[in-house]
Each structure stands twice: as structure tokens, then as C-alpha cells.
Amino acid sequence: MRKKIQLSMLMLAFVGVQLQAQTMKSTSQTKLIEKVTRKGNEIVIPYEKYVLPNGLTVIVHEDHSDPIVHVDVTYHVGSAREEVGKSGFAHFFEHMMFQGSDNVGDEAHFKIISEAGGTLNGTTNRDRTNYFETLPSNQLETALWLEADRMGFLLDAVTQKKFEIQRSTVKNERGQNYDNRPYGLVYEKASAALYPYGHPYSWTTIGYMEDLNRGNVNDLKNFFLRWYGPNNATLTVGGDVTPAEVVKLAEKYFGPIQKGPEVQNMKLPMPVLNKDRYISYEDNVRFPMFQMTFPSAPRFHADEVPLDLLAEILGKGKNSILYKNLVKTQKAVQASASNPAAELGGEFSITVLPFPTQTLADMEKLVREALLEFEKTGISEDALTRFKVSYETGELNTLSSVSGKTSALAAYQTFTGNPNYLPLDLKRNKAVTKEDVLRVYNKYIKGKNAVILSVVPKGKADAVTAADNFAVDPTGYVAPKDQYSGLTYQKAKDSFDRKVRPASGANPVVKVPPYWTDKTTNGVRVIGAKNDEIPTITLLVSIKGGHKLEVKDPGKAGIASLTAAMLNEASQKYSSEEISSQLEKLGSSISFSSGSDRMNISVQSLTKNLDATLALLEERMLRPRFDQADFDRLKKQTLESIANQSTQAPVVASNVYNKLLYGEGNIMAIPGIGTTASVGSITLDDVKKFYSDNFSASVANIVVVGDTEQKVIMPKLAFLNKWQAKPVQIPADAKPATIDKTKIYLVNKDKAAQSEIRIGYMALPYDATGEYYRAGIMNYILGGAFNSRINLNLREDKGYTYGAGSGFSGTESAGPYTASAGVRTNVSDSSVVEFMKEIKRYKEEGITDAELAFVKSAIGQSDARKYETGFQKASFLNNIIRYNLDEGFVKKQNDILKNISKSEINALAAKHLPVDKMNIVIVGDKAAIKPGLEKLGYQVIEVDSDGKLL
């Protein structure tokens, strides 16, 4: 999927670009290629670009606004460099890059970065693989040491055991995200039919299971030697650094690594379809799926932006043709169009999930009619304006963080060779015309053949759009020339000892962001902070109640969620489509949602358009239309969503787990979306009454973060004084169910590729400086960090899962302590054993001295990352106003962390890990897993997907 980076045209007036083809005065012969600077108040991404003698490109973005640094190493290799029979290697290799190198121990990457207060990850797509860390700026040298060590010193640390464990982890990832997920194989099936056999886009990045089984360690090593040279990589560093220090460290750690084989950019012709290719498969789904995919233009092609606009007109938002014709008329749950573009090609797709009463053949007919309608109606000026504004403002938040800016520079360099591609991206968006859209429609869509995929519920093979008429044909495929012969591993020779971990610089000074508090005339509490790095403002309105209010009438459970959905629709003055159109032209968004104990309103606006955005917020908040047609459609969608939950194992596991913890008769035991019976009983008059009774200023708080000040924003919020402050009684918490002893509750899911596990009990309410906070510190090494005991055991040592962890989740009310994972079916019983073993061992033996030191360092130094973006500041302020925290609570937390002792941690573990009184919920294939579970010594109780005893 492509990442688009845009800025407002009004804010990008001039970029000073100084091209300097000069050699630095250094024996290294590192070259400064160019320097981009900011002039005046323009919002740009300043940087300096260098190239080391070994071909490594180094880009540095200097930003001292926060004491953090983001390091990104992007290799121009993804699954597109793989070959038939060896799919999945690029992604597999990403996993292996975290398994230690000559001078860095096994699993040490995560431990070192976490201990430094940072976060890290890696991702792979078709065209590139990247590795990145965000951490306090005093840890820059540590991050570069780690990245350089795996670039130059990896292979001798690759063992067969590590290879097998990570192969198992990748299989778990495939099971969790593809095989065990509804519609998880859509992209794999469509890609195989769209591209010719052997085309590197004809398989997905995760790869085929048989290829993962076939690969060996030597294949993996050859992949590294061929593609992981410094000349095929870009090191991008952004944040509280200077170019001089970054270049000096890059020369030290990366400079000695030898250049790898030359890598040429790939270019392949677009696929040509001689007819519509109908394909299908059966899946564990409730809604069938119709998907039509046309070959389209690659990323950065001149046709990419017009195709994006065409997709928006056809199928994005409430003003699109597909929404109007299929969703609004209650023929489909979803209908959308998209144009994801990658380096070698694009895919223009139309996707429809019809209601079960509709046929896929009907959907094809309606989609083709929608295309004909577009030919007749064309593109309005309104649609053109909406698209351009949303395109320009949609990614502004990406540039609010050092990681976002650094990632943008890395991507532009990797795919265009020009980190300063942002002005060109902006220019091509500004230049798109109606004629461009009609041109690309005629070129790629009109009269063109497509891959038409049907996904149908299991046992309903005859429900396909049309009979399959295509099968992958390998005839004529010619294997490419061997790219892996003669590769040798040559280690760098250093003048220093790489085994010595770099010392950290001085700890950066981290300041809690200043904030102000206020009140509207009718009593709504307001808290705010200025954040002027980008010209946007975020408002979060929180209204107490939500799902918890439904205890007054459990027979109407789901009404809070349905009321929030209705508030996203029409107002008395404007239709839903009119509001959506106005918001898009402003570059704004307003969204209502309901949670367990809150209704939330999220508002995002450009500073210059705040007044117009708040006027629309007033319309939706205070003058909803509550139209019967909108209610009927949303109620129908909700009922279908409830019915669809049984196909989603993680949702079933969480629903059953909550029902068992809270107990029969507790409103929190019922899903927030409601049940078929409860939602079925809700009327529009019920929604109006719920809104009238509970949508009140008396239980509301507001958070404001962005490019504004208290004296400016408060008068703009004066419209809230019209909001009636009616008394709302928030129900007291019901007593949760008791657990007399640990039992296993088993929910059957036939032929499931994985089992979903939830283990836990009702624990503590939130307390920022009390037992809850201390218990969170206690749990960090057990299940809170990547290198926690639970994750290292189940994922890294055993290869049972893609990820496992545990944590507390209290609010004003007590919440569960939960350990969870999705695991391979054949190790379901073993996974339960390992979960319980780790929890019991920690409860009885406690924390080690080394672990306590790690926990204190990791949590303490993470403060540097807490307040960087507007969203982070808003979350921080939201906690302050929600829980009535005093100004010094952060210092109190730091003092608690600094002084907490080993004996206190051990006492907390003994108290809050009741291994003999926990519920264990497993959703999986009963036939495969029940015999093993029955041998564990726990009572095994079978329940259905609603948690009812069988």
C-alpha cells in the first residue's frame, strides 16, 4: 500500500534547496549531496543528504522540538525480489534481523531499545523492508550500533534453531492475519489471478506455507548477501540530532561495511487480461464479497492521482456513487473503491459486501451500472475541491512527529531518489483536472477486463458471481537468471571493538507539557495545551455514560452505540451527505462513538477552518435530525454485524471472556454493540429518549490540543452554552462474577487454523499513583514488554504464536487482568501450560534484580516519547481531566518507579496473580484441541459463542 505525504498549498511557498556536489573535508570521502532548508515559516522537511563510499545513503533531519530521535534503515528489497517457490523470504528475513548478530545477543535488540525507553519494529512490503527505532536522543549511537551490526555482522549468528523458531513465528503470523481471519485470503487469491505466473506481485509478502516449509538456512543467507548491502539501503535519522554527529557515527559504524552486489530498479509491463477472470473461494464469513480489480498505474506515475480521485468519486464516503446506490439503499453493508499503487503496478479495486438477502450477481450488475452512471454524471467541481483539500490535509498529522517526517524522507529517497519529492507530490495533486479523471477512466476501466473475485460462506459454492473461468497457468514461465551464485560473506574490518556497547549521552530533559483549564458557562470542563508544530486543532469531547447506562434497561442493550451512529448522520439543517461534503472541503472530521462508559466525539480541523468546523459540530451535537430511514439502515447494519461476530474468533473469545468475568445480569457481560434480541427491540423513539436523557453537558469534558490558545478557543466554544446541563445518574458498578477455581471454557470453531486464548480475572480500577500503577510496573516484565517472560517463551522460544502478553485494563471501574494470544491449533494445550507456568513462577518467585533494573530504565526513560504529538498530548490531558489528577502526578509516578523495591514487586505479584482463580477461554477447533486440554488437570466446560453452557 502506498503512503502519500501532502502539505497544504498555502503553507508550502518555497523550499530552499542547495545542491552541493562537493566532497566533505574528511578522509572518508563521504559526499554531501544536497541540503534542503526552511525559509521563513514554510512547513517543509529540512534535511541534509550524504552518500558514504560504500554506497550507503544517509539523510538527516534536524528537529530539536522534543528530546527524541527516530532512526530508519530502509532496504530496497521486498517480496518483489523473490522467485517462484521461494515466496515469503523478504518478510522471513525481517524476522531474522531481530535474532542477534555477532556483537548483539539473541533477543537483545528489543531488550536494549526497550531498556533505553524506546520502541522499535520492522515492516516488509512488496518493494522495501525497513527497520526503525524511536528513542531518547541520548541513545542515538546505540541505535546506529545495533543497525550497523545486523547489516554487516549477521550471518554467523544465524543458527538452524533460530531459523526454525522464526519460521514457526511467521507461520503463526500467516495463520493469525490470513488463514484464520475472515476474507484473509482475498488479496492472495486476487493477486495470483491478476498478475502472470511468476510475476513478483502474484504472491503476497507473507508467502505461501509450502514455500516457507521448503526454504532452508542457506537460502536465507543468500537472500541477505544479495540484497542487504549498504548500497541498497538508506539510513534516515530525524530528531534532536545534528548532521555532523550523525554522519560521524554513520562513518564509524556503517562505513567499514563492504558494498554489496549492484541492485537495479525493476520495471515490468502491466498485466493484460484477455477476458474478465472470475475466481472464487469459500470462507468462514457471513457476508459474501464481490471484488472487481483492474490493473492500474504504479506509484508516482502521472495517472496515479487521477485514479485516486476516480476511486473517491466512485466509492469513498457518503457522497460516492457506490454509497448512494448500494449502502444508502440497504443493499450492501459496505461498498468502496480504492487504488493502491506500488512500485511495479497499481490495482484499482471495487469491493462490495452485500446483505445476505442480495446475490453477488446482483452486485456485479449494480457496480457496472455505477460505472455507467459515472460516465453520464462525470466529476463535479465540488468533488474536485473535496478531493484536493482532503489530499492536502489528510497526512498533515504524519508530519507532526519525527517518525512521520523521517519515514517520509526515507520512502521518497527509496522510490524516487529524491527525498525532497514532497513539493512534486503537492504539485501533481494541485494540477489534477476533470479531464485527467475521464482520461484514466477510459484508459484503465471503461471496457477493460478485470479479476472478479467471489468470497462465499462455506457450503455455498453456488452463490458465486459467476462460474470460475480462470486458473493459474505456469505454461511459458521462464525462471530468471540465478542471482545468488558466487556470493561471499566478507566482514568489515574495524579499528574499534564492536562488542562494546556505546555509552549513552546525558539523559535528555523531559518536561510535562504546560496546560490550562477552564469551564463553559454551563459547566463543561475544558483542558487544553498549545501545539503549533502543524496548523491543526484536535478536540475530544467525552460524555460519561455509554454502554454502562444501559443497565437501566438491559433489554435495549446496544442503544448507546446506535445513538452515536445516528449522531454521525443528518442534522436538522443538513443531510448526512451535505455535512460530509462540507467537512471534506474544510479538511476536517467529526466522529461520534460509544464505549463501555463514555460517548466520545473526535474533531479534527485546520486552524484556519475551525469556526466552520465547530458550526457543523454544533449542528450534529445539538440538532440531530434522527431520520427514520437512517435509523432503519443503521439498525439493519448493526443486526448483521452482531450476526457476523460468530465468524471472528478474537471477537468471540473476548465476548465470552467478558461474559464469564462480569457474570449473568451484569450489563458489562453484554457486548456494547448489543444482542440480536436487544437491538431488534430498539425503536427510533428509544434513541431519541436515550439522547434526550443522557446527552448532557453536566457529564461532559473537553480536551483541546493544537495551534490555538485559551483566550482564542474559549469564545469559539461558547455555542456549548446552548447544551442543556441535565442531571444524569451514572449507575453504580454491579458486582462481577466470582471465580471459585481456574477452569477452561471451550468454544468450538471448526477447522480453525489457530486458537484464541484469554486468561484472567477481574482486577483493579485505574489509579495513577496507587496500586493500579504499581501493578502495571509489576506486570511489565511478565507480559507488558516485547521481551516479557510470556512473549519470549511462547513466541521466541517455542514459536507457538505471533505475539503474547498480559496487562491490567481498569478505568474508574475495576477491569480485567488478561493474558492473551492467538496460537497454532496443535499447541493449544501446550500454550495454556506455558502461560500458567510463567504466571505461577512469577507469582511464587518474583522478579530478578536484573529484571527490576530493566523495568525501571525502560519505563522511566520512555517519558521522552510521551508528549511529542498532538494526539499524545490530548491523551495525556484526557487522563488528567477524566481522573481528576493533580499537576504533580507525573512526578509522583516517577518517584514510585524510582523507589519501588524488589520485595514490593514480589508482594504485588503474589497478590494480583491468582493463578488458582482465573478463567481460561479458548476458541478453536474442538476436535483437535479438546483431548489435549482435558489432560491439563482443569475442568473443561463447553460453551457456545454467546458464552452459554452446552
Side-chain angles (χ1 to χ4, degrees), residues 739-750:
I739 302 174
D740 58 347
K741 65 177 180 178
T742 299
K743 301 171 186 174
I744 293 176
Y745 294 87
L746 174 61
V747 183
N748 182 44
K749 185 172 173 59
D750 286 333

Side-chain angles (χ1 to χ4, degrees), residues 795-812:
R795 172 179 160 138
E796 298 300 311
D797 295 342
K798 303 292 192 309
Y800 290 169
T801 180
Y802 181 49
S806 63
F808 295 88
S809 57
T811 58
E812 291 92 342

Side-chain angles (χ1 to χ4, degrees), residues 367-672:
V367 166
R368 293 192 185 277
E369 288 174 357
L371 294 176
L372 292 174
E373 181 178 336
F374 167 76
E375 291 182 28
K376 294 176 183 177
T377 59
I379 310 105
S380 67
E381 280 295 333
D382 204 52
L384 194 62
T385 301
R386 290 198 311 267
F387 173 77
K388 289 186 177 184
V389 173
S390 63
Y391 191 99
E392 291 159 6
T393 61
E395 293 297 331
L396 260 178
N397 283 330
T398 302
L399 302 178
S400 69
S401 67
V402 167
S403 62
K405 289 180 281 189
T406 306
S407 299
L409 292 170
Y412 281 138
Q413 169 62 32
T414 299
F415 296 117
T416 72
N418 177 16
N420 193 39
Y421 196 83
L422 182 59
L424 299 176
D425 235 350
L426 181 63
K427 182 178 178 181
R428 64 185 187 144
N429 164 67
K430 183 179 179 180
V432 68
T433 65
K434 298 178 183 179
E435 291 72 25
D436 289 330
V437 179
L438 291 172
R439 175 178 55 79
V440 297
Y441 174 77
N442 291 323
K443 181 176 178 181
Y444 297 97
I445 310 298
K446 185 176 180 179
K448 300 300 187 290
N449 297 312
V451 171
I452 299 174
L453 169 66
S454 302
V455 183
V456 296
K458 287 185 177 179
K460 296 186 177 180
D462 57 349
V464 298
T465 308
D468 290 11
N469 68 351
F470 175 80
V472 175
D473 182 7
T475 305
Y477 169 71
V478 178
K481 181 181 177 182
D482 181 19
Q483 301 185 79
Y484 297 97
S485 61
L487 297 173
T488 57
Y489 182 33
Q490 295 179 311
K491 287 188 185 179
K493 295 180 180 179
D494 295 309
S495 57
F496 66 99
D497 185 358
R498 285 188 187 259
K499 290 193 178 299
V500 177
R501 176 179 168 180
S504 301
N507 283 339
V509 177
V510 182
K511 295 181 181 179
V512 174
Y515 60 88
W516 51 265
T517 60
D518 211 326
K519 264 188 181 182
T520 62
T521 303
N522 60 342
V524 178
R525 295 193 303 160
V526 185
I527 187 169
K530 186 168 184 176
N531 187 54
D532 58 4
E533 291 183 32
I534 57 174
T536 64
I537 295 172
T538 297
L539 274 78
L540 301 176
V541 184
S542 176
I543 305 155
K544 289 182 184 178
H547 180 46
K548 183 181 282 190
L549 290 170
E550 295 166 357
V551 71
K552 299 173 184 178
D553 187 358
K556 304 285 185 182
I559 194 170
S561 178
L562 198 51
T563 301
M566 286 294 291
L567 291 170
N568 282 317
E569 297 293 331
S571 73
Q572 293 174 19
K573 188 175 181 180
Y574 301 114
S575 70
S576 179
E577 290 81 3
E578 288 170 335
I579 293 177
S580 293
S581 178
Q582 291 184 55
L583 288 171
E584 287 173 21
K585 285 188 285 187
L586 294 169
S588 302
S589 64
I590 298 173
S591 176
F592 291 74
S593 62
S594 180
S596 61
D597 54 10
R598 289 285 188 283
M599 181 178 288
N600 297 300
I601 311 169
S602 175
V603 182
Q604 186 82 22
S605 174
L606 290 173
T607 307
K608 63 181 181 179
N609 293 333
L610 182 61
D611 289 347
T613 303
L614 292 179
L616 293 171
L617 176 64
E618 179 180 351
E619 278 292 314
R620 276 193 159 160
M621 282 181 66
L622 305 184
R623 289 183 286 279
R625 185 181 298 181
F626 290 132
D627 183 82
Q628 184 69 48
D630 288 338
F631 174 78
D632 292 342
R633 171 172 45 82
L634 292 171
K635 179 176 175 178
K636 183 177 179 180
Q637 289 176 347
T638 302
L639 288 168
E640 290 293 342
S641 295
I642 292 168
N644 187 49
Q645 286 184 343
S646 63
T647 68
Q648 303 171 57
V651 177
V652 171
S654 296
N655 285 348
V656 172
Y657 179 69
N658 284 336
K659 184 165 187 177
L660 292 167
L661 287 184
Y662 287 101
E664 203 71 44
N666 191 319
I667 193 64
M668 305 309 290
I670 303 174

Side-chain angles (χ1 to χ4, degrees), residues 70-88:
H70 184 80
V71 175
D72 178 293
V73 180
T74 297
Y75 296 88
H76 197 171
V77 56
S79 56
R81 298 289 186 178
E82 296 164 353
E83 299 174 356
V84 171
K86 294 184 178 180
S87 66

Side-chain angles (χ1 to χ4, degrees), residues 290-308:
F290 168 88
Q291 186 180 78
M292 173 183 275
T293 304
F294 299 88
S296 69
R299 190 178 182 188
F300 300 115
H301 189 281
D303 293 342
E304 183 191 13
V305 173
L307 282 163
D308 288 343

Side-chain angles (χ1 to χ4, degrees), residues 325-336:
N325 292 0
L326 280 78
V327 178
K328 192 82 171 176
T329 58
Q330 300 187 39
K331 293 182 174 69
V333 181
Q334 296 176 23
S336 62

